[in-house]
Amino acid sequence: MAPKPLDPAEHLLLRDANALHRLARNLVGPDAADDVVQSALTAALTSPTRSRRHTGLWLRGVVHKLALLTHRRDARRRVRERTVACSLVDDRDPASLAQQAELIANVAVAVRELEEPFRSVIVLRFWHGLLPEQIATKLAVPRNTVRSRLQRGLERLRARLDRNYGERQRWAAPLGTIVSAREGVTAALAGSGVALFVGMMMQTKLLVGAVAVLVIAVAIPWSSFGEQPPPAFEREPAGAITMHAEPAPRPNERLEVPTPPVPGAEPMSDDSPSATVTEWSARFLVTDENDLPVADATIQVWAGPELPKDGKDGTVLSHAEHPILQVPTGADGRASAVFDRRGVAVAARKGDCRTGDTWLLSHVDADAERVFVLQVPVLQRGTVWRVDGTPAVGAVVHVNVQGWSSLQRGEPPEPAPVTADAAGRFVVPLQFFGVYAIDASLGDERTFRDAFEVRSEHPPDLRLTFPGAITIAGVVVDPAGAPVAGANVHAWREYHLADPAQDANDMETVDDKTGPDGRFAFEVRQYRRYQLIASAGGSANSDVLWVEPSAVRPHPEVRLSLRTAAAIRGVVLAADGSAIPGARVRASAEAGSATRANAVPSRAAMFGEPSAAITDRNGNFALSVHPGTTWQLQAFPVPGASALGYRQVGVQPGRVDIEFRLSEAQVRGCDVRGEVVRADDGRPVENFDVELIDLDDPDAVRSRVAASRQGNRFELATLPLGRSCALVITPRRAGERYDEELAPVRVEPFLTSTAPRTFVVRVSGWATLPVRVLEADDTPARGVHATLLQDGFQHVSWQADRADRDGRLVLAQRMPGAGRLAIWRRARRLCESQITILGGPNPELVIHVPPR
């Protein structure tokens, strides 16, 4: 028999079922969600007027009501269970009564001693029974500010009681008995109308509030106050039981529905109103650099934006100045915490050792264990000097975090300012692999600002000098000797890129502009050699001029002369000698450094970047270049086809007979097309980027090329002939740079020719490679990490992974293919090898490091 078809109302109910189930999970949890949804759908299907009452709004109302009934039923059941399980306090025992009175009185005193604004919100919440929304309205502050003040106020109460009683167990254990007993008595008597008598038993409203404060202070280190599910007991990893105060909703309380994260939403500060967030937990393990667990370390938590961005658009996550929660680790180095906001910053510390700050996000880190490795601080030493060369006694040294290396987990902490001693010396504890900026102030004066990265356990001393002690001044003139106003002057302190002993932080660059009289003056930091270059429109750059200030000559004067530009002329022709009009011709200097490092002048800084020329109708072009070097010329015969270029090298400035003669095939170029499919089942992949690597150009980098796409097929803009190239195909999700499931793939190198090239690109899942690192004697290597560098994919695969105490680590979400795997101990590379990894899970790779 054929099944009975569904009527329109039943179709709509099935459509709403998933949404109702998500709502029920947020309201009553996953265990009871099925029952609530089933009851709601049954009510809709059996209702005589269901055709008019099946709408989502009506169903959501039913789910809300059923959830409220479930909360109340479970709350009464748990109270009955606690009443049976917990013996009541013996109020006839004078010692027990005295202990209770002393404990409650101490809480009341602690509340009265709280500083504002924490005392007000504690009293309004627990003595007056106001909800956070009501407190926010009464105090005219955002709701999140109330939540933050409640959390911080309770932390201060716990700290005061810890100090008074010596340890938490001495006041937490008696409290558990008081709370359990009074909850049982209240539940038993409330149904018979004698709840008021229970309040009288507790003497005063102040004592009722004090007990409420104690319940919350012990029970919930992080709570949303008024939005909790029914009571529960949770066993912490260290073995202690934490009791969560979770009252059932009162009739006058509003039941709020947790809202899931909104993709792309702007981050909100700690004082911004926010949607309710379902509580989530995270676990922590703190170890030392030898992977041994650290007991009695402190996990610090800072509040942050409710909806932090993930950094893909360059947004920097920030958090509050003071921690809102501090959790000690147990004997096994473990701890846990419960959060009610989408993002928090977490770090671990013990004594002078600490970790960097790491962001935890609810949709990524819920129920996961985060490992924090305590690092012994690196002591950065230095001196501060006045303009006259004497020590700057009492100067305040400021250090700011500029970022952190990919080899470090978490952002370095912001160091506190330090004061220079009688000899101008200072010492600042810093984080290994941290990137910092440092300067010093004395009154209204401030030293030069230095940026550096800590990559050594014993970094070289820093020297901070107040500006004015050393200057370089001079004039810029044109080829005729007349002063040039508005000319640019660039200076670099002497630096040798090829010298491995060169300190990477020992660099200095200065930029200045000439005044109306052509003069310039700027301050430098050291008695060292500096190279100067001047540039201005209409003339070629000056030659490099070296100058060296000294103690005898601290303010040298120089003269920078701009040069007359030289011309290079030529023609771009077809094979038959006909002109190619509209071709673009570009020139680039062949001398000087090609590095992008700003430690030395680049080719462009030394010789300028000549404007490109466009051939006229006769194919002629003319370029204006610096006369001090040879040039490389490139002709692009087809407008818009930037890859279709042909070059000539070693062109002397002043030549007027340059000829590009291009064949028909060269002008037409090579056509490259293809399609992208999944490697596992051949299904088409329609959302992807195409990038090109020119393997014949040693300075070439991967760059996106123009490509037309239709479905899973692509066709590139015309490529030049005879070039060795490779393609990188990167699957991506809408609005995202990468696909979470499919990894990029590099197409094997190919040579462009007149024959079209067609590819079928098969993309597979991301690769996962487990690695085990062993010492030469087969014992697990301690304190090591691995980096995998893959050609054409450096910005994703250049990540650090630290081995655990067994020497194991997992390189996850890596691009299948070849790469160089390096094993490091701090900044020292122990070994490196070439490996090839396949898409998906790979077998464990065992690596032995050389003996120490």
Side-chain angles (χ1 to χ4, degrees):
M1 178 181 295
K4 178 184 177 182
L6 299 175
D7 65 19
E10 291 168 333
H11 273 293
L12 291 170
L13 288 176
L14 291 177
R15 182 198 65 187
D16 292 337
N18 289 335
L20 293 174
H21 194 270
R22 288 194 297 270
L23 174 61
R25 284 174 61 90
N26 282 330
L27 290 173
V28 298
D31 295 334
D34 292 336
D35 294 337
V36 169
V37 173
Q38 183 177 358
S39 299
L41 294 177
T42 302
L45 290 171
T46 57
S47 172
T49 57
R50 63 185 174 96
S51 60
R52 299 189 306 273
R53 302 176 62 185
H54 65 261
T55 62
L57 182 61
W58 182 82
L59 282 169
R60 286 195 294 272
V62 173
V63 170
H64 271 279
K65 292 177 181 178
L66 290 173
L68 183 59
L69 292 174
T70 301
H71 274 308
R72 290 174 176 170
R73 183 182 64 249
D74 291 347
R76 295 189 186 103
R77 176 178 56 81
R78 285 183 171 85
V79 168
R80 289 195 299 270
E81 291 173 354
R82 285 200 301 272
T83 303
V84 174
C86 300
S87 59
L88 298 179
V89 176
D90 186 3
D91 290 332
R92 296 168 298 178
D93 183 7
S96 177
L97 290 172
Q99 183 184 29
Q100 294 176 51
E102 179 185 2
L103 191 56
I104 295 172
N106 285 343
V107 175
V109 171
V111 172
R112 285 197 297 269
E113 292 177 350
L114 271 180
E115 61 272 21
E116 291 293 354
F118 307 111
R119 181 172 61 243
S120 296
V121 293
I122 292 290
V123 171
L124 290 172
R125 178 69 183 98
F126 301 111
W127 267 259
H128 295 269
L130 299 183
L131 293 174
E133 297 92 335
Q134 297 169 315
I135 299 174
T137 302
K138 187 177 184 67
L139 299 180
V141 297
R143 179 175 179 271
N144 256 25
T145 300
V146 174
R147 290 156 52 97
S148 176
R149 291 176 182 176
L150 284 170
Q151 293 157 0
R152 296 179 185 179
L154 293 175
E155 278 297 317
R156 285 165 169 77
L157 283 177
R158 282 193 289 270
R160 290 176 187 271
L161 292 170
D162 288 344
R163 288 195 300 269
N164 291 343
Y165 286 87
E167 58 182 9
R168 185 160 301 183
Q169 187 65 19
R170 295 182 61 185
W171 61 272
L175 172 67
T177 306
I178 299 173
V179 172
S180 299
R182 297 194 187 281
E183 286 183 349
V185 172
T186 302
L189 299 180
S192 58
V194 292
L196 181 61
F197 175 72
V198 177
M200 296 175 60
M201 285 176 57
M202 298 179 69
Q203 304 298 323
T204 66
K205 190 174 184 178
L206 177 66
L207 298 186
V208 176
V211 172
V213 172
L214 278 170
V215 173
I216 305 300
V218 173
I220 43 177
W222 188 295
S223 170
S224 56
F225 305 111
E227 300 167 352
Q228 300 90 337
F233 289 88
E234 178 181 347
R235 181 169 295 277
E236 299 292 337
I241 295 179
T242 300
M243 183 180 66
H244 292 264
E246 299 164 329
R250 297 194 299 268
N252 64 338
E253 286 187 339
R254 175 169 55 90
L255 190 64
E256 298 188 14
V257 182
T259 303
V262 181
E266 291 295 323
M268 294 184 291
S269 68
D270 191 44
D271 289 340
S272 302
S274 64
T276 304
V277 180
T278 303
E279 286 188 345
W280 57 283
S281 62
R283 296 174 290 114
F284 312 105
L285 170 62
V286 181
T287 71
D288 59 19
E289 293 185 292
N290 291 319
D291 299 312
L292 299 176
V294 178
D296 297 324
T298 301
I299 299 291
Q300 295 179 301
V301 180
W302 292 267
E306 282 289 321
L307 298 174
K309 293 185 178 179
D310 57 8
K312 292 179 181 177
D313 60 353
T315 302
V316 178
L317 299 175
S318 60
H319 55 70
E321 180 180 359
H322 302 291
I324 58 173
L325 179 65
Q326 301 191 85
V327 183
T329 60
D332 58 354
R334 285 182 162 84
S336 66
V338 178
F339 309 115
D340 67 344
R341 58 174 50 241
R342 293 184 178 91
V344 292
V346 184
R349 72 179 309 154
K350 184 174 183 179
D352 294 332
C353 300
R354 66 156 294 166
T355 67
D357 301 348
T358 300
W359 270 92
L360 300 186
L361 303 177
S362 60
H363 64 285
V364 176
D365 301 289
D367 299 322
E369 182 174 78
R370 278 300 187 102
V371 179
F372 289 89
V373 181
L374 294 178
Q375 296 184 1
V376 177
V378 175
L379 299 181
Q380 177 65 66
R381 305 176 187 276
T383 52
V384 187
W385 299 90
R386 296 176 181 271
V387 174
D388 58 8
T390 59
V393 182
V396 179
V397 179
H398 311 269
V399 182
N400 302 109
V401 175
Q402 298 296 295
W404 60 100
S405 167
S406 61
L407 302 179
Q408 174 181 307
R409 291 176 180 266
E411 181 179 0
E414 197 85 6
V418 297
T419 303
D421 62 15
R425 295 188 299 261
F426 65 87
V427 180
V428 183
L430 301 178
Q431 196 90 355
F432 206 86
F433 291 126
V435 182
Y436 299 94
I438 186 171
D439 62 3
S441 61
L442 190 60
D444 295 333
E445 295 182 323
R446 210 168 185 97
T447 68
F448 288 109
R449 191 174 180 84
D450 284 316
F452 61 96
E453 181 179 355
V454 179
R455 299 187 66 89
S456 168
E457 296 178 357
H458 305 286
D461 290 359
L462 296 175
R463 180 186 177 95
L464 303 178
T465 307
F466 286 95
I470 311 170
T471 62
I472 297 176
V475 63
V476 177
V477 298
D478 63 16
V484 179
N488 297 306
V489 181
H490 312 276
W492 293 263
R493 189 166 69 214
E494 185 174 16
Y495 191 98
H496 302 281
L497 285 173
D499 184 1
Q502 179 82 51
D503 181 7
N505 297 320
D506 187 20
M507 67 174 69
E508 180 183 1
T509 61
V510 184
D511 296 312
D512 198 14
K513 274 187 176 293
T514 58
D517 56 356
R519 291 193 58 81
F520 66 90
F522 51 80
E523 298 158 327
V524 295
R525 309 181 185 209
Q526 297 184 16
Y527 294 130
R528 293 268 293 280
R529 290 213 313 165
Y530 291 80
Q531 49 187 326
L532 276 62
I533 299 174
S535 62
S539 300
N541 292 0
S542 70
D543 290 332
V544 173
L545 177 67
W546 287 91
V547 59
E548 184 174 6
S550 64
V552 178
R553 187 172 171 245
H555 310 291
E557 288 270 343
V558 298
R559 179 186 176 93
L560 297 173
S561 298
L562 300 175
R563 298 190 63 175
T564 302
I568 295 179
R569 296 187 177 90
V571 64
V572 181
L573 303 173
D576 60 1
S578 61
I580 300 180
R584 185 166 59 95
V585 182
R586 188 179 65 187
S588 56
E590 293 184 324
S593 172
T595 179
R596 292 178 175 82
N598 60 359
V600 297
S602 64
R603 291 172 181 168
M606 294 180 67
F607 303 109
E609 296 179 296
S611 300
I614 304 297
T615 58
D616 60 18
R617 64 181 182 178
N618 297 318
N620 296 315
F621 68 88
L623 295 165
S624 179
V625 300
H626 193 286
T629 182
T630 57
W631 294 84
Q632 173 183 276
L633 269 58
Q634 275 189 295
F636 302 89
V638 180
S642 59
L644 192 62
Y646 300 92
R647 71 186 66 187
Q648 292 192 33
V649 298
V651 178
Q652 295 287 340
R655 282 190 60 180
V656 294
D657 57 348
I658 302 300
E659 181 181 291
F660 286 92
R661 188 175 290 267
L662 307 177
S663 67
E664 181 181 352
Q666 287 177 315
V667 175
R668 188 177 70 246
C670 179
D671 294 327
V672 177
R673 60 181 66 94
E675 60 177 322
V676 184
V677 298
R678 297 175 65 111
D680 51 0
D681 55 13
R683 285 184 297 158
V685 176
E686 298 186 350
N687 203 353
F688 56 88
D689 290 331
V690 183
E691 293 171 298
L692 177 74
I693 303 175
D694 186 348
L695 301 177
D696 290 334
D697 187 352
D699 297 329
V701 295
R702 193 176 88 183
S703 59
R704 190 172 301 178
V705 293
S708 59
R709 291 198 301 263
Q710 185 174 5
N712 71 319
R713 299 179 182 274
F714 67 90
E715 184 170 355
L716 303 187
T718 306
L719 298 179
L721 300 179
R723 305 295 295 175
S724 181
C725 303
L727 296 177
V728 175
I729 306 296
T730 304
R732 63 183 178 89
R733 293 280 176 91
E736 302 291 337
R737 181 63 183 85
Y738 299 103
D739 189 284
E740 296 176 357
E741 179 184 355
L742 299 176
V745 62
R746 175 171 170 168
V747 179
E748 290 303 317
F750 61 93
L751 188 67
T752 58
S753 64
T754 54
R757 304 301 303 260
T758 303
F759 299 95
V760 177
V761 182
R762 304 182 185 277
V763 295
S764 60
W766 292 93
T768 300
L769 176 65
V771 179
R772 190 174 190 196
V773 187
L774 303 176
E775 301 285 359
D777 59 359
D778 286 334
T779 59
R782 293 293 182 89
V784 298
H785 58 267
T787 57
L788 178 62
L789 181 63
Q790 294 173 287
D791 293 336
F793 206 59
Q794 298 181 16
H795 57 290
V796 169
S797 292
W798 182 247
Q799 299 174 357
D801 292 86
R802 196 175 192 278
D804 61 17
R805 66 185 64 185
D806 295 322
R808 286 189 167 90
L809 59 95
V810 177
L811 299 170
Q813 200 175 18
R814 302 306 165 102
M815 177 179 172
R820 297 194 304 276
L821 179 66
I823 305 298
W824 304 73
R825 184 172 277 118
R826 282 211 164 182
R828 185 166 66 92
R829 184 168 55 192
L830 304 179
C831 62
E832 183 178 280
S833 58
Q834 188 78 17
I835 65 169
T836 299
I837 56 178
L838 305 176
N842 284 256
E844 184 177 70
L845 176 66
V846 179
I847 296 178
H848 286 80
V849 299
R852 299 194 186 190

